[in-house]
Amino acid sequence: GQGLWPAIWLLPQHQAYGSWPASGEIDMMEARGRLPGQVSGTLHYGKDMEHKCTDEFSYAFEGGGTIGEFHDYALEWDAGSIRWLVDGHRYAERRLEPDVMPFDKPFYLVLNLAVGGWYDNVPIDEAALPAVMTVAGIWLYA
């Protein structure tokens, strides 16, 4: 529903490079409830808010799929790049830049379903509440 914001994201375990966005944020999956046919993956970084960088990549589900169905969201992250996948399809890759990007430290996982907020910044469809985000499983490979 409009105004819903499901997300799977990662934040740094320690603020090694300073407060947000300096130590980074990785959005594995974010969706706008009013646009159920697409998801996005994003990197946030930069030495401070004035110099914040946002690298966002979008994916439209094939065959009319929506965020209301089960999908496999994946993030492949190594020393050279970060890749975003949906249902096994890699839709984006961002090469990492040493000494520019802070993605060389441990991060932790956050899953949430926000209601409202700046990501879509639209009125909330009260008829869509209560809303749920169902997760069937989480796999981490190191």
Side-chain angles (χ1 to χ4, degrees), residues 37-121:
Q38 74 178 45
V39 294
S40 296
T42 310
L43 297 179
H44 300 280
Y45 58 96
K47 68 179 186 175
D48 54 34
M49 284 299 290
E50 187 177 326
H51 299 92
K52 181 174 90 75
C53 297
T54 301
D55 299 334
E56 184 174 20
F57 309 94
S58 294
Y59 175 77
F61 292 109
E62 297 177 4
T66 72
I67 58 174
E69 302 161 340
F70 280 101
H71 294 281
D72 290 326
Y73 300 103
L75 185 77
E76 295 178 346
W77 177 12
D78 59 37
S81 66
I82 295 178
R83 295 168 293 282
W84 290 263
L85 299 91
V86 174
D87 297 331
H89 172 76
R90 180 175 60 181
Y91 71 92
E93 179 172 6
R94 177 63 163 94
R95 307 281 306 145
L96 298 179
E97 301 173 48
D99 301 321
V100 174
M101 302 170 121
F103 305 110
D104 61 347
K105 304 289 185 198
F107 278 59
Y108 64 91
L109 189 63
V110 180
L111 291 86
N112 69 288
L113 174 58
V115 178
W118 60 265
Y119 183 58
D120 202 18
N121 202 22

